[in-house]
Amino acid sequence: MKRIGILTAGGDTPALNAAIHGAVVRANQLKVEVYGLIKGFNCLFNPRVPHVHLNPLFQEIPELDPTKGGTLIGSSRDYVDPAKKDDLDLVTERLTRLGIEGLIAVGGDGTLNGLQPLTERIPTVLAPKTIDNDLGLNYPSEPDEWVRHKGTGGANDRYTRSASSAVFDLDHIVNYVTPGYATAVLVTAQGVERIRTTAESHRRIAIIEVMGRHSGYIALGTAYGQPDIILVPEHPLDIGLLVERVRHLYDLQKNVVIVCGEGIVDAQGAELGAESTSTDPAGNVALSGAAEALRAKMIQTLGDGYFRTYRRGSSAREAIFTRKVGHTQRGGRPILFDRFYAALLGSKAVDLLVEGRNNAVSILQYSSGKGFHVEGYDANRFRDRWGLIHARQMHPSLYDPVLMKPSTTGIDYLLPIFTGAIGYDDAEHMRHTLFDSGNLSHPYHSINTDVHKRIRYLEADHA
Ligand code: F6P
């Protein structure tokens, strides 16, 4: 293989540049050229196919900095529609004209689904990334548990899970953790620590909403910030139990900090935050307002009387406040754990392509005996009987629904990821850069400005 393409798709995560870096370093060793495709699959819908040669003379370009968040080649949520054969033909033809013999997509479950039709036309592999940590399987047979309920037209099909008889074992998780997750948890845990002092000082109840769509991993990991209560989408909300616990804690310590995943559901399985029914281009429902919906329920259940009686505020509305951590948990410098393993996964993706493992995924495995290591896994094994790849939900046993905290298995799950996840340089970096006097006078220099000067187009290359 002489030349490969690489693209980053879906929402940005902190370790994308590190994954690209790992791929380029490995490609340099194998003397393979790497072209970075600008803005994910969007690049291939553009007749000019904007791209950047990431390793001229088999040296990586200086703009490729694995310690920087975001992605120097840009990302989008555009995918190739498998039903549009003409689009597929066009995209394949453009890649071929560019001399691309294999493609690496760095992305999550949406990207893996999106690239399936392409793998029948050009060798393609995936290097995983997602802060949601939802690309993977709790155990290898998990895809077989999905049941499809036919709707009118394929788009309206519904999928539910049948009862599982599989034994859950941390050592058997497929893709234990995805790059981006650890850095996101760093931000959410720090957010909890900071909100706590306000809640404590002002005798308030804080509800902090974290990302993760329908998977509760980010909420679970936020336990490192020591919130009092964590709510995850995998366990329906029991408002009675929650309010009882809040009363107990508030009586004792006069403040409560609750973390809720954005995808939490009520007893009927309805998403609390799905007030907006809009969808992004990948078809994901845009979730908004789980924390606000929860606050409304708590205000109604606790009532103003509770706060007045204790002279800790004049109303429930005043006492209970919400904060979304939002996109700060997706951006910025990746911490050591994410950088290191994203680079290994990017490097492994190159090996998979060169070895001819079409439609494979480089995965990060963990076992108590071996620790973390990378492997290749056939994407087909992620697919259900109808060919769909579902986002992984956290295994319910990682959470204790009575304590509303990670269970002992949950703690065992988190420890290998986070023990030592922050490098010394991560702490030093802040000391050296944040209050640099130059920041006050120098305008921000965007990576896009430099990369733009390196962008080449299909016509020019082949004129
Ligand atoms: O999938 C990553 C993620 O950050 C989710 O946790 C979140 O729901 C979503 O993307 C937000 O997407 P956007 O940036 O498009 O609003």
Side-chain angles (χ1 to χ4, degrees), residues 206-445:
I207 307 174
I208 303 175
E209 182 178 318
V210 299
M211 285 185 172
R213 295 192 195 281
H214 308 290
S215 303
Y217 291 101
I218 298 182
L220 191 85
T222 308
Y224 277 104
Q226 295 187 295
D228 301 298
I229 292 172
I230 294 174
L231 302 172
V232 295
E234 290 81 356
H235 288 263
L237 174 71
D238 179 339
I239 188 75
L241 189 66
L242 173 69
V243 166
E244 190 186 308
R245 184 104 190 97
V246 166
R247 276 178 185 269
H248 170 78
L249 287 161
Y250 195 79
D251 289 350
L252 189 73
Q253 60 191 34
K254 304 170 186 65
N255 74 93
V256 183
V257 176
I258 303 169
V259 165
C260 77
E262 62 181 348
I264 56 168
V265 297
D266 66 17
Q268 284 70 45
E271 284 161 26
L272 262 70
E275 283 156 5
S276 142
T277 52
S278 66
T279 50
D280 70 14
N284 298 307
V285 175
L287 300 177
S288 64
E292 275 304 320
L294 186 61
R295 175 175 180 258
K297 280 189 191 298
M298 285 177 55
I299 288 172
Q300 200 184 22
T301 320
L302 275 167
D304 293 342
Y306 174 73
F307 295 94
R308 287 202 194 113
T309 317
Y310 286 87
R311 293 169 181 271
R312 285 172 197 145
S314 54
S315 68
R317 207 165 284 281
E318 205 178 89
I320 307 173
F321 71 111
T322 65
R323 286 297 173 269
K324 273 190 186 191
V325 182
H327 286 76
T328 53
Q329 69 204 284
R330 227 169 66 182
R333 191 178 196 274
I335 56 173
L336 178 65
F337 182 92
D338 281 340
R339 287 200 307 273
F340 185 75
Y341 289 110
L344 285 190
L345 289 163
S347 160
K348 180 72 181 177
V350 173
D351 283 334
L352 292 171
L353 263 188
V354 171
E355 286 161 13
R357 297 264 317 257
N358 180 27
N359 201 12
V361 181
S362 54
I363 55 168
L364 185 54
Q365 291 301 94
Y366 176 80
S367 74
S368 31
K370 258 174 109 176
F372 283 108
H373 52 280
V374 293
E375 287 179 13
Y377 199 78
D378 290 335
N380 209 26
R381 298 182 66 190
F382 282 113
R383 302 169 92 192
D384 72 12
R385 278 171 284 166
W386 299 275
L388 197 68
I389 294 159
H390 300 267
R392 171 175 66 190
Q393 283 203 298
M394 195 185 75
H395 194 270
S397 68
L398 301 191
Y399 178 80
D400 183 329
V402 177
L403 287 179
M404 299 185 217
K405 295 246 174 108
S407 62
T408 47
T409 313
I411 292 171
D412 288 344
Y413 172 76
L414 294 170
L415 286 176
I417 305 171
F418 291 99
T419 309
I422 301 178
Y424 290 110
D425 64 316
D426 292 325
E428 275 301 289
H429 178 263
M430 186 173 93
R431 236 167 57 78
H432 284 297
T433 60
L434 190 61
F435 293 141
D436 183 329
S437 56
N439 291 351
L440 298 173
S441 44
H442 297 160
Y444 180 72
H445 184 80

